[in-house]
Amino acid sequence: MEGRDFAPVVFVHGGKDNQFKLSEISQQAEILKKRGVDTTLFSYPDAGHEQRPEWSRRIFDWIEAQLSYSTTR
C-alpha cells in the first residue's frame, strides 16, 4: 500500500503537553509524510494536553477540506 491509500491524518499538539513532546509528534508526522500520507500538524504553544473549544473550527475546517478534496479525486 502507498501513502495515498491511507486517510489523511491530523495531529493537534499543545506545547505544554506533559504526556507527548512536540518532537515526538513531529517525528510521527514526518514519518507519515515520507510514506506519502497527507499529514497536518496544528501546534498550540501555550496549550497542554487538552482539547480547547476554540480549536474546533480549525479542526472542522481541516476535515471539511479533506472531504472536499476526496470528492474531487
Side-chain angles (χ1 to χ4, degrees), residues 23-37:
S23 61
E24 294 168 348
I25 301 302
S26 296
Q27 183 179 21
Q28 292 298 316
E30 285 305 311
I31 289 168
L32 290 172
K33 284 181 183 181
K34 286 180 182 177
R35 293 182 178 175
V37 178

Side-chain angles (χ1 to χ4, degrees), residues 2 5 15-16 22-23 34 40 47 54-55 58 62-63 68:
E2 295 183 32
D5 296 326
K16 295 180 180 178
L22 179 57
S23 61
K34 286 180 182 177
T40 302
E54 62 267 24
W55 300 348
R58 189 171 188 192
W62 180 88
I63 292 169
S68 296

Side-chain angles (χ1 to χ4, degrees), residues 4-72:
R4 67 177 178 264
D5 296 326
F6 291 90
V9 175
V10 63
F11 292 94
V12 182
H13 184 269
K16 295 180 180 178
D17 187 331
N18 293 323
Q19 294 184 20
F20 300 98
K21 296 177 183 176
L22 179 57
S23 61
E24 294 168 348
I25 301 302
S26 296
Q27 183 179 21
Q28 292 298 316
E30 285 305 311
I31 289 168
L32 290 172
K33 284 181 183 181
K34 286 180 182 177
R35 293 182 178 175
V37 178
D38 182 2
T39 307
T40 302
L41 170 60
F42 297 140
S43 182
Y44 296 92
D46 294 327
H49 186 83
E50 75 270 352
Q51 164 61 26
R52 293 186 178 177
E54 62 267 24
W55 300 348
S56 295
R57 182 75 265 151
R58 189 171 188 192
I59 294 167
F60 289 137
D61 288 346
W62 180 88
I63 292 169
E64 186 174 79
Q66 300 308 311
L67 293 172
S68 296
Y69 174 75
S70 69
T71 61
T72 60

